């Protein structure tokens, strides 16, 4: 859809090419027992991350200025100290920073025991090649004061300005252990538990009562069954203070906790030691686990945060990671609790169904479900692309999360239709196979927007039609419309469109919506179920726009082949049932042009009809094509408004 691409400048202010190039740089710290960072100097782009891996001795990653090496830059980052006896096996603890701009970043090891910084243990990101080079920085560091005033590292000894994380394997190689299990970490560190095959958990207990959850406020991942390694299942818990933390696996088959599958963070070295805790666990009664999970931490399945899995079992098949058709649960399936939680609510508990439903309402519910099937495959595929696919990290997390909750909300909407169809023992409509006109993320946003507009179009049409006969449907349709309209607002903003200040939703006849979807997205012959709409009008191809880019669209040119060329018009379907006609003028060889009426704003639909002045309800009878949507409002004006 060429016309609307005029206005798809990206709000995020970065081109896809730049963002797609984000990468992580790995740097070793003290590898081989040497006082060096390797590489010593790196160049990184804005948005890149740098991950530091710690080896032998007891090093840190501390930011300074160029002028004052070996002393912390106020507000700079600090990894905290990371002891590791091994010169060649990296500590499970890492520190990651994000590069926010291309200004030089200066780093040193703040270990005073051995004066690491003065001995040349320095590092830089984007150091200039002349002038203030890494060499010049190292020379300065050699002469830096050794005194502890100003102190060598930021106060508190806790990590700042980056992510300090310790990776803990849960049940590695089939062993009933956590590796490591005897952890010392400062507050602010993230404990990253990674699950191995079997059916393990990480649950917090007190020292005195191992194998049983803490009375209040403890963390629990729930039991995580998996057969694959790596499983992609991660549970993240933040260390908040220096108090000891005790945890165990609550699996009762083979008594994991009693067999020693326990661990600690910051356990005392005398008194209540980890050894004593293991001893107490051996004698503990049968393990228990809180009924809710995950709590006190964040559970992530292949990059997707799972807010709730209701019980204690994580269903691998429900992950949003597979991408293909099978990944959207089939219509009519029970909503899983975490879908509901992502959607911010479940389907209605009471529909006030009367004893009968009209045939028309049945057909409309099936059409609405048909459109939600399209929307769900689309959102799920786009979400996957944005989290674990070609567009990974292209959008800020808040936007990607919003797309995830849109997906969950569309599930709830579809459930309201299938619940109703099933209640009246009517057929539910299974998904077709789809082929998306999508290559770039902008296409995804545009196609999603169009599907939402199509659905809003029929929701309006259907509300008007079935209101008198099946009034119980009105609240369900109204709620769905409100939610879908909010989604279009979000997509408008991603596209740099002004969100409409007044309702601009366009009513669309169901026949036209059905044709549009069949023409644009459905693989021919792939629909398993029949709908009441059999006529599929041919696709309208709007080939070009006769306007300056960035200005209001005043004219369109289209290409059609029709038998009779008499009395051809473009019918412009605008907000609130608005309908305006403009004549099509022949430009020869099947090309036609029409002017865009100046009374139209925002998204409007164009459809080629014979004749003019029909009412909206009758228009599909005279349509020669399916409709096409364009954004006609002045784009430039909005651009300048945004800058203000
Ligand atoms: C690591 O170094 C810091 C700073 O010198 C020190 O406070 C800490 O006790 C050291 N840790 C170990 C285990 O040596
Ligand atoms: C980048 O910005 C984040 C958020 O403000 C900050 O925590 C981080 O320290 C910054 N990174 C660097 C290298 O300064
Ligand atoms: C598993 O346990 C065996 C026997 O105690 C041990 O040799 C092995 O290193 C352990 N593997 C891991 C990955 O912890
Ligand atoms: C995981 O363990 C729990 C508790 O023993 C059990 O209820 C659940 O069925 C197990 N799940 C699988 C898939 O084995
Ligand atoms: C845990 O580490 C401490 C030293 O930090 C050590 O004294 C203790 O024996 C270790 N305990 C276990 C069970 O490995
Ligand atoms: C740290 O605080 C957060 C937020 O309250 C909580 O979710 C988490 O479980 C706490 N961590 C520990 C180890 O208790
Ligand atoms: C993560 O993805 C892998 C590969 O597709 C899959 O085998 C695994 O089950 C997924 N893990 C989770 C927790 O969904
Ligand atoms: C996901 O990305 C691929 C590759 O760019 C693209 O072909 C596909 O259409 C995208 N899917 C969706 C639903 O956006």
């Amino acid at each position: 859809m060429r016309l609307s691409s005029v206005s798809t400048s990206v709000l995020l202010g970065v081109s896809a090419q730049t963002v797609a190039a984000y990468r992580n740089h790995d740097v070793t710290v003290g590898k081989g027992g040497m006082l060096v960072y390797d590489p010593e100097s790196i160049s990184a782009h804005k948005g890149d991350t740098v991950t530091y891996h710690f080896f032998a001795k007891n090093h840190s990653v501390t930011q300074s200025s160029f002028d004052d090496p070996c002393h912390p830059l106020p507000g700079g980052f600090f990894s905290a100290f990371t002891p590791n006896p091994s010169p060649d096996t990296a500590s499970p603890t890492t520190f990651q920073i994000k590069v926010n701009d291309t200004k030089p970043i200066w780093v040193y090891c703040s270990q005073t025991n051995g004066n690491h910084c003065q001995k040349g243990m320095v590092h830089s990101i984007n150091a200039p090649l002349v002038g203030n080079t890494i060499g010049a920085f190292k020379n300065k560091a050699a002469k830096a004061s050794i005194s502890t005033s100003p102190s060598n590292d930021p106060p508190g000894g806790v990590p700042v300005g980056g992510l300090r994380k310790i990776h803990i394997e849960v049940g590695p190689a089939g062993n009933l252990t956590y590796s490591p299990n005897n952890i010392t970490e400062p507050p602010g560190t993230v404990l990253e538990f990674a699950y191995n095959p079997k059916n393990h958990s990480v649950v917090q207990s007190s020292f005195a009562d191992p194998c049983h959850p803490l009375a209040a406020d403890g963390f629990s991942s729930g039991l995580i069954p998996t057969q694959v390694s790596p499983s992609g299942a991660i549970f993240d818990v933040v260390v908040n203070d220096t108090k000891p933390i005790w945890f165990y696996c609550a699996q009762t088959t083979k008594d994991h906790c009693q067999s020693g599958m326990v661990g600690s963070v910051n356990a005392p070295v005398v008194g209540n030691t980890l050894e004593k805790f293991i001893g107490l666990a051996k004698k503990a009664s049968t393990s228990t686990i809180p009924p809710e999970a995950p709590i006190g931490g964040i559970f992530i399945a292949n990059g997707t945060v799972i807010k709730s899995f209701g019980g204690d079992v994580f269903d691998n098949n429900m992950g949003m990671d597979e991408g293909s058709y099978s990944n959207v649960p089939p219509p009519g399936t029970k909503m899983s609790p975490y879908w509901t939680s992502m959607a911010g609510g479940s389907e209605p508990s009471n529909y006030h169904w009367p004893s009968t439903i009209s045939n028309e309402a049945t057909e409309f519910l099936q059409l609405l479900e048909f459109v939600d099937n399209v929307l769900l495959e689309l959102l799920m595929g786009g979400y996957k692309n944005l989290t674990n696919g070609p567009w990974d990290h292209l959008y800020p997390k808040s936007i990607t999360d919003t797309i995830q909750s849109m997906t969950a909300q569309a599930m709830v909407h579809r459930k309201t239709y299938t619940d109703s169809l099933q209640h009246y023992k009517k057929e539910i409509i299974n998904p077709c196979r789809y082929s998306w006109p999508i290559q770039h993320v902008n296409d995804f946003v545009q196609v999603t927007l169009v599907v939402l507009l199509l659905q809003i179009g029929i929701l309006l049409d259907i509300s008007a039609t079935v209101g008198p006969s099946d009034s119980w449907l009105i609240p369900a349709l109204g709620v769905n419309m409100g939610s879908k309209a909010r989604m279009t607002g979000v997509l408008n903003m991603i596209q740099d469109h002004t969100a409409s200040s007044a309702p601009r939703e366009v009513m669309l006849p169901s026949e036209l919506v059905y044709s549009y979807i069949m023409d644009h997205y459905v693989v021919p012959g792939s629909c398993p179920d029949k709908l009441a709409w059999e006529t599929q009008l041919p696709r309208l191809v709007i080939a070009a726009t006769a306007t300056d880019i960035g200005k209001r669209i005043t004219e369109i040119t289209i290409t059609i082949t029709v038998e009779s060329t008499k009395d051809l018009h473009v019918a412009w379907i605008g907000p609130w049932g608005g309908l305006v006609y403009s004549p099509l003028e022949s430009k020869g060889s099947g090309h036609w042009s029409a002017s865009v009426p100046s009374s139209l704003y925002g998204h409007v639909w164009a459809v080629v009809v014979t004749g003019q002045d029909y009412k909206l309800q009758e228009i599909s009878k005279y349509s020669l094509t399916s409709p096409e949507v364009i954004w006609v409002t002045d784009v430039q004006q909005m651009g300048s408004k945004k800058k203000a």
Side-chain angles (χ1 to χ4, degrees), residues 502-564:
R504 304 230 71 92
E505 274 65 46
V506 176
M507 181 193 282
L508 283 174
S510 311
E511 293 81 357
L512 295 185
V513 169
Y514 172 76
S515 279
Y516 185 96
I517 288 180
M518 295 302 287
D519 286 350
H520 286 75
Y521 310 130
V522 172
V523 173
S526 73
C527 294
D529 301 311
K530 245 173 128 75
L531 288 163
W533 287 264
E534 277 175 11
T535 324
Q536 182 180 344
L537 296 165
R539 179 173 177 165
L540 172 60
V541 179
I542 299 183
T545 159
T547 183
D548 293 336
I549 295 212
K551 288 268 167 65
R552 185 186 163 82
I553 291 165
T554 53
E555 197 178 60
I556 59 167
T557 56
I558 63 180
T559 310
I560 40 167
T561 27
V562 284
E563 281 166 20
S564 159

Coordinates of all heavy atoms in Angstrom, one line a residue, residues 502-564:
A502 N -11.2 13.4 17.9 CA -12.6 13.0 17.9 C -12.8 11.6 17.3 O -11.9 11.2 16.5 CB -13.4 14.1 17.1
P503 N -13.9 10.9 17.6 CA -14.0 9.6 17.0 C -14.0 9.6 15.5 O -14.8 10.4 14.9 CB -15.4 9.1 17.5 CG -15.7 10.0 18.7 CD -15.0 11.3 18.4
R504 N -13.2 8.9 14.9 CA -13.1 8.9 13.4 C -13.3 7.5 12.9 O -12.8 7.2 11.8 CB -11.7 9.5 13.0 CG -11.4 10.8 13.5 CD -10.9 11.7 12.4 NE -12.1 12.1 11.6 CZ -12.8 13.2 11.8 NH1 -12.6 14.0 12.8 NH2 -13.8 13.5 11.0
E505 N -13.9 6.6 13.7 CA -14.0 5.3 13.2 C -15.0 5.2 12.0 O -16.0 5.8 12.0 CB -14.4 4.4 14.4 CG -13.3 3.9 15.2 CD -12.5 5.0 15.9 OE1 -13.2 5.8 16.6 OE2 -11.3 5.0 15.9
V506 N -14.6 4.4 11.1 CA -15.4 4.3 9.8 C -16.2 3.0 9.8 O -15.7 1.9 10.1 CB -14.4 4.3 8.6 CG1 -15.1 4.1 7.3 CG2 -13.6 5.6 8.6
M507 N -17.5 3.2 9.5 CA -18.4 2.0 9.4 C -18.1 1.3 8.0 O -18.1 2.0 7.0 CB -19.8 2.4 9.5 CG -20.8 1.2 9.4 SD -22.5 1.8 9.2 CE -22.9 2.3 10.9
L508 N -18.0 0.0 8.0 CA -17.7 -0.6 6.7 C -18.7 -1.8 6.5 O -18.9 -2.6 7.5 CB -16.3 -1.2 6.7 CG -15.2 -0.3 6.5 CD1 -13.8 -1.0 6.7 CD2 -15.2 0.4 5.1
P509 N -19.3 -1.9 5.4 CA -20.2 -3.0 5.1 C -19.4 -4.4 5.2 O -18.3 -4.5 4.7 CB -20.7 -2.8 3.7 CG -20.5 -1.3 3.5 CD -19.3 -1.0 4.2
S510 N -20.0 -5.4 5.8 CA -19.4 -6.7 6.1 C -18.9 -7.3 4.8 O -17.8 -7.9 4.8 CB -20.3 -7.6 6.7 OG -20.9 -7.0 7.8
E511 N -19.6 -7.1 3.7 CA -19.2 -7.8 2.4 C -17.9 -7.2 2.0 O -17.0 -8.0 1.5 CB -20.2 -7.4 1.3 CG -21.6 -8.1 1.5 CD -22.5 -7.3 2.4 OE1 -22.0 -6.3 3.0 OE2 -23.7 -7.7 2.6
L512 N -17.7 -5.9 2.1 CA -16.4 -5.3 1.7 C -15.3 -5.8 2.6 O -14.2 -6.0 2.1 CB -16.5 -3.8 1.7 CG -17.6 -3.2 0.7 CD1 -17.5 -1.7 0.8 CD2 -17.4 -3.7 -0.7
V513 N -15.5 -5.9 3.9 CA -14.5 -6.3 4.8 C -14.0 -7.8 4.4 O -12.8 -8.1 4.4 CB -14.9 -6.2 6.2 CG1 -14.0 -6.9 7.2 CG2 -15.1 -4.7 6.6
Y514 N -15.0 -8.6 4.2 CA -14.7 -10.0 3.9 C -13.9 -10.1 2.6 O -12.8 -10.7 2.6 CB -16.1 -10.8 3.7 CG -15.8 -12.2 3.1 CD1 -15.4 -13.2 4.0 CD2 -16.1 -12.4 1.8 CE1 -15.2 -14.4 3.5 CE2 -15.9 -13.7 1.3 CZ -15.4 -14.7 2.1 OH -15.2 -16.0 1.6
S515 N -14.3 -9.3 1.6 CA -13.5 -9.3 0.3 C -12.1 -8.8 0.5 O -11.1 -9.4 0.0 CB -14.2 -8.4 -0.7 OG -15.2 -9.1 -1.3
Y516 N -12.0 -7.8 1.3 CA -10.6 -7.2 1.5 C -9.7 -8.2 2.1 O -8.6 -8.4 1.7 CB -10.7 -6.0 2.5 CG -9.4 -5.3 2.6 CD1 -9.0 -4.2 1.8 CD2 -8.4 -5.7 3.5 CE1 -7.8 -3.6 2.0 CE2 -7.2 -5.1 3.7 CZ -6.9 -4.1 2.9 OH -5.7 -3.5 3.0
I517 N -10.2 -8.9 3.2 CA -9.3 -9.9 3.9 C -9.0 -11.0 2.9 O -7.8 -11.5 2.9 CB -10.0 -10.4 5.2 CG1 -10.0 -9.2 6.2 CG2 -9.4 -11.6 5.7 CD1 -10.6 -9.5 7.5
M518 N -10.0 -11.5 2.2 CA -9.7 -12.6 1.3 C -8.7 -12.2 0.2 O -7.8 -12.9 -0.1 CB -11.0 -13.1 0.6 CG -12.0 -13.7 1.6 SD -11.4 -15.1 2.5 CE -11.3 -16.4 1.2
D519 N -8.8 -11.0 -0.3 CA -7.9 -10.5 -1.3 C -6.5 -10.3 -0.8 O -5.6 -10.4 -1.6 CB -8.4 -9.1 -1.9 CG -9.6 -9.2 -2.7 OD1 -10.0 -10.4 -3.1 OD2 -10.2 -8.2 -3.1
H520 N -6.4 -9.8 0.4 CA -5.1 -9.3 0.8 C -4.3 -10.3 1.7 O -3.0 -10.3 1.6 CB -5.2 -8.1 1.7 CG -5.5 -6.8 0.8 ND1 -6.7 -6.6 0.3 CD2 -4.7 -5.8 0.4 CE1 -6.7 -5.5 -0.4 NE2 -5.5 -5.0 -0.3
Y521 N -4.9 -11.2 2.4 CA -4.2 -12.0 3.4 C -4.4 -13.5 3.3 O -3.5 -14.2 3.8 CB -4.6 -11.5 4.9 CG -4.5 -10.1 5.1 CD1 -5.6 -9.4 5.7 CD2 -3.4 -9.3 4.7 CE1 -5.5 -8.0 5.9 CE2 -3.4 -7.9 4.9 CZ -4.4 -7.3 5.5 OH -4.4 -5.9 5.7
V522 N -5.5 -13.9 2.8 CA -5.8 -15.3 2.8 C -5.2 -16.1 1.7 O -5.3 -15.7 0.5 CB -7.3 -15.6 2.9 CG1 -7.7 -17.0 2.8 CG2 -7.9 -15.0 4.2
V523 N -4.5 -17.2 2.0 CA -4.0 -18.0 0.9 C -5.2 -18.7 0.2 O -6.0 -19.3 0.9 CB -3.0 -19.1 1.5 CG1 -2.6 -20.1 0.4 CG2 -1.8 -18.4 2.2
P524 N -5.3 -18.5 -1.1 CA -6.5 -19.0 -1.8 C -6.8 -20.5 -1.5 O -5.9 -21.3 -1.4 CB -6.2 -18.8 -3.2 CG -5.3 -17.7 -3.3 CD -4.4 -17.8 -2.0
G525 N -8.1 -20.8 -1.2 CA -8.5 -22.2 -1.0 C -8.0 -22.8 0.4 O -8.1 -23.9 0.6
S526 N -7.5 -21.9 1.3 CA -7.0 -22.5 2.5 C -8.0 -22.4 3.7 O -7.6 -22.8 4.8 CB -5.7 -21.7 2.9 OG -6.0 -20.4 3.4
C527 N -9.2 -21.8 3.5 CA -10.1 -21.7 4.7 C -10.9 -23.0 4.9 O -11.5 -23.5 4.0 CB -11.0 -20.5 4.4 SG -10.2 -19.0 4.4
P528 N -10.7 -23.6 6.1 CA -11.4 -24.8 6.3 C -13.0 -24.7 6.5 O -13.7 -25.6 6.3 CB -10.8 -25.3 7.7 CG -10.2 -24.1 8.3 CD -9.9 -23.1 7.2
D529 N -13.4 -23.5 6.8 CA -14.8 -23.3 7.1 C -15.4 -22.2 6.2 O -14.7 -21.3 5.8 CB -15.1 -22.9 8.6 CG -14.5 -24.0 9.5 OD1 -14.8 -25.2 9.3 OD2 -13.8 -23.6 10.4
K530 N -16.7 -22.4 5.9 CA -17.4 -21.5 5.0 C -18.1 -20.4 5.8 O -18.7 -20.7 6.8 CB -18.4 -22.2 4.2 CG -18.1 -22.3 2.7 CD -19.1 -23.2 2.0 CE -19.8 -22.5 0.9 NZ -19.0 -22.4 -0.3
L531 N -18.0 -19.2 5.3 CA -18.8 -18.1 5.9 C -20.0 -17.8 5.0 O -20.1 -18.3 3.9 CB -17.9 -16.9 6.1 CG -16.8 -16.9 7.1 CD1 -15.8 -15.9 6.9 CD2 -17.4 -16.8 8.5
A532 N -20.9 -16.9 5.5 CA -22.1 -16.6 4.8 C -21.7 -15.6 3.6 O -22.6 -15.3 2.8 CB -23.1 -15.9 5.7
W533 N -20.5 -15.1 3.6 CA -20.1 -14.2 2.5 C -19.4 -14.9 1.4 O -18.2 -15.3 1.6 CB -19.2 -13.1 3.2 CG -19.9 -12.2 4.0 CD1 -20.4 -11.0 3.7 CD2 -20.3 -12.4 5.4 NE1 -21.1 -10.4 4.7 CE2 -21.0 -11.3 5.8 CE3 -20.1 -13.4 6.3 CZ2 -21.6 -11.1 7.1 CZ3 -20.7 -13.3 7.6 CH2 -21.4 -12.2 7.9
E534 N -20.0 -15.1 0.3 CA -19.4 -15.9 -0.7 C -18.7 -15.1 -1.8 O -17.7 -15.5 -2.4 CB -20.4 -16.9 -1.3 CG -20.4 -18.1 -0.4 CD -21.4 -19.1 -0.7 OE1 -22.0 -19.0 -1.8 OE2 -21.7 -20.0 0.1
T535 N -19.3 -13.9 -2.1 CA -18.7 -13.1 -3.2 C -17.4 -12.4 -2.7 O -17.4 -11.8 -1.7 CB -19.7 -12.0 -3.6 OG1 -21.0 -12.5 -3.4 CG2 -19.4 -11.5 -5.0
Q536 N -16.4 -12.7 -3.5 CA -15.1 -12.1 -3.2 C -14.8 -11.1 -4.4 O -14.5 -11.5 -5.5 CB -14.0 -13.1 -3.1 CG -12.7 -12.5 -2.8 CD -11.6 -13.6 -2.7 OE1 -11.9 -14.8 -2.6 NE2 -10.3 -13.2 -2.7
L537 N -14.9 -9.8 -4.1 CA -14.7 -8.7 -5.1 C -13.2 -8.7 -5.3 O -12.4 -8.9 -4.4 CB -15.2 -7.4 -4.5 CG -16.7 -7.3 -4.3 CD1 -17.0 -6.1 -3.5 CD2 -17.4 -7.2 -5.6
P538 N -12.8 -8.3 -6.6 CA -11.4 -8.2 -6.8 C -10.7 -7.0 -6.0 O -11.4 -6.1 -5.6 CB -11.3 -7.9 -8.3 CG -12.6 -7.4 -8.7 CD -13.6 -8.0 -7.7
R539 N -9.4 -7.2 -5.9 CA -8.6 -6.2 -5.1 C -8.5 -4.9 -5.8 O -8.3 -4.8 -7.1 CB -7.3 -6.8 -4.9 CG -6.3 -6.0 -4.2 CD -5.1 -6.8 -3.9 NE -4.2 -5.9 -3.2 CZ -3.1 -6.3 -2.6 NH1 -2.8 -7.6 -2.5 NH2 -2.3 -5.5 -2.0
L540 N -8.6 -3.8 -5.1 CA -8.4 -2.5 -5.7 C -6.9 -2.1 -5.5 O -6.4 -2.1 -4.4 CB -9.2 -1.4 -4.9 CG -9.0 0.0 -5.3 CD1 -9.2 0.3 -6.7 CD2 -9.9 0.9 -4.4
V541 N -6.2 -1.8 -6.6 CA -4.8 -1.4 -6.5 C -4.7 0.1 -6.8 O -5.0 0.6 -7.8 CB -4.0 -2.2 -7.5 CG1 -2.5 -1.8 -7.4 CG2 -4.2 -3.7 -7.3
I542 N -4.3 0.8 -5.7 CA -4.0 2.2 -5.8 C -2.6 2.3 -6.1 O -1.7 2.0 -5.3 CB -4.4 2.9 -4.6 CG1 -5.9 2.8 -4.3 CG2 -4.1 4.4 -4.7 CD1 -6.4 3.5 -3.1
A543 N -2.3 2.7 -7.4 CA -0.9 2.6 -7.9 C 0.0 3.7 -7.4 O 1.2 3.6 -7.2 CB -0.9 2.4 -9.4
A544 N -0.6 4.9 -7.3 CA 0.3 6.1 -7.1 C -0.5 7.2 -6.5 O -1.7 7.2 -6.5 CB 1.0 6.5 -8.3
T545 N 0.2 8.2 -6.0 CA -0.5 9.3 -5.5 C 0.0 10.5 -6.2 O 1.2 10.7 -6.4 CB -0.3 9.5 -3.9 OG1 -0.6 10.8 -3.6 CG2 1.1 9.2 -3.5
A546 N -0.9 11.4 -6.6 CA -0.5 12.6 -7.3 C -0.4 13.7 -6.4 O -1.1 14.7 -6.5 CB -1.5 12.9 -8.5
T547 N 0.5 13.6 -5.4 CA 0.6 14.7 -4.5 C 2.1 14.8 -4.0 O 2.8 13.8 -4.1 CB -0.3 14.5 -3.3 OG1 -0.2 15.6 -2.4 CG2 0.1 13.2 -2.5
D548 N 2.4 15.9 -3.4 CA 3.8 16.0 -2.8 C 3.8 15.1 -1.5 O 2.9 15.1 -0.8 CB 4.0 17.5 -2.4 CG 4.1 18.4 -3.5 OD1 4.4 17.9 -4.6 OD2 3.9 19.6 -3.4
I549 N 4.9 14.5 -1.4 CA 5.1 13.7 -0.2 C 5.0 14.6 1.0 O 5.6 15.7 1.0 CB 6.5 13.0 -0.2 CG1 6.4 12.0 -1.4 CG2 6.8 12.3 1.1 CD1 7.1 10.7 -1.3
G550 N 4.3 14.2 2.0 CA 4.3 15.0 3.2 C 3.1 16.0 3.3 O 2.7 16.5 4.3
K551 N 2.4 16.2 2.1 CA 1.3 17.1 2.1 C 0.0 16.2 2.2 O 0.0 15.0 2.0 CB 1.3 17.9 0.8 CG 2.4 19.0 0.8 CD 1.8 20.3 1.3 CE 3.0 21.3 1.6 NZ 3.7 21.6 0.4
R552 N -1.1 16.9 2.4 CA -2.4 16.3 2.3 C -2.5 15.6 0.9 O -2.2 16.1 -0.1 CB -3.5 17.3 2.5 CG -4.8 16.7 2.6 CD -5.9 17.8 2.6 NE -7.1 17.2 2.2 CZ -7.9 16.5 3.1 NH1 -7.5 16.5 4.4 NH2 -8.9 15.9 2.7
I553 N -3.1 14.4 0.9 CA -3.3 13.7 -0.3 C -4.5 14.2 -1.0 O -5.6 14.3 -0.4 CB -3.4 12.2 -0.1 CG1 -2.0 11.7 0.4 CG2 -3.8 11.4 -1.3 CD1 -2.0 10.3 1.0
T554 N -4.4 14.7 -2.2 CA -5.5 15.3 -2.9 C -6.0 14.5 -4.1 O -7.1 14.7 -4.6 CB -5.0 16.7 -3.5 OG1 -3.9 16.5 -4.3 CG2 -4.8 17.7 -2.4
E555 N -5.2 13.6 -4.6 CA -5.6 12.9 -5.8 C -5.0 11.5 -5.7 O -3.9 11.3 -5.2 CB -5.1 13.6 -7.0 CG -5.8 13.1 -8.3 CD -5.3 13.9 -9.5 OE1 -4.1 13.8 -9.8 OE2 -6.2 14.5 -10.1
I556 N -5.7 10.5 -6.2 CA -5.2 9.2 -6.3 C -5.3 8.7 -7.8 O -6.1 9.1 -8.5 CB -5.9 8.1 -5.4 CG1 -7.4 8.1 -5.8 CG2 -5.7 8.5 -3.9 CD1 -8.1 6.9 -5.1
T557 N -4.4 7.8 -8.1 CA -4.5 7.2 -9.4 C -4.6 5.7 -9.2 O -3.9 5.1 -8.3 CB -3.3 7.4 -10.4 OG1 -2.1 7.1 -9.8 CG2 -3.3 8.9 -10.8
I558 N -5.5 5.0 -9.9 CA -5.7 3.6 -9.7 C -5.7 2.9 -11.0 O -5.8 3.5 -12.1 CB -7.0 3.3 -9.0 CG1 -8.2 3.8 -9.8 CG2 -7.0 4.0 -7.6 CD1 -9.5 3.5 -9.1
T559 N -5.4 1.6 -11.0 CA -5.4 0.8 -12.2 C -6.5 -0.3 -12.0 O -6.5 -1.0 -11.0 CB -4.1 0.1 -12.3 OG1 -3.1 1.1 -12.2 CG2 -3.9 -0.6 -13.7
I560 N -7.5 -0.3 -12.9 CA -8.5 -1.4 -12.8 C -8.8 -1.9 -14.3 O -8.7 -1.1 -15.2 CB -9.8 -0.9 -12.2 CG1 -10.2 0.5 -12.6 CG2 -9.8 -1.1 -10.7 CD1 -11.6 0.8 -12.3
T561 N -9.2 -3.1 -14.3 CA -9.7 -3.6 -15.6 C -11.1 -4.0 -15.3 O -11.4 -4.9 -14.5 CB -8.9 -4.9 -16.1 OG1 -8.4 -5.5 -14.9 CG2 -7.8 -4.5 -17.0
V562 N -12.1 -3.3 -16.0 CA -13.5 -3.6 -15.8 C -14.1 -3.6 -17.2 O -13.6 -3.1 -18.1 CB -14.2 -2.5 -15.0 CG1 -13.9 -2.7 -13.5 CG2 -13.9 -1.1 -15.4
E563 N -15.2 -4.4 -17.3 CA -15.8 -4.6 -18.6 C -16.5 -3.3 -19.0 O -16.2 -2.7 -20.1 CB -16.9 -5.7 -18.5 CG -16.1 -7.0 -18.6 CD -17.0 -8.2 -18.3 OE1 -18.2 -8.1 -18.3 OE2 -16.4 -9.3 -17.9
S564 N -17.4 -2.8 -18.2 CA -18.0 -1.5 -18.5 C -17.3 -0.4 -17.8 O -17.0 -0.4 -16.6 CB -19.5 -1.6 -18.1 OG -20.0 -0.2 -18.0

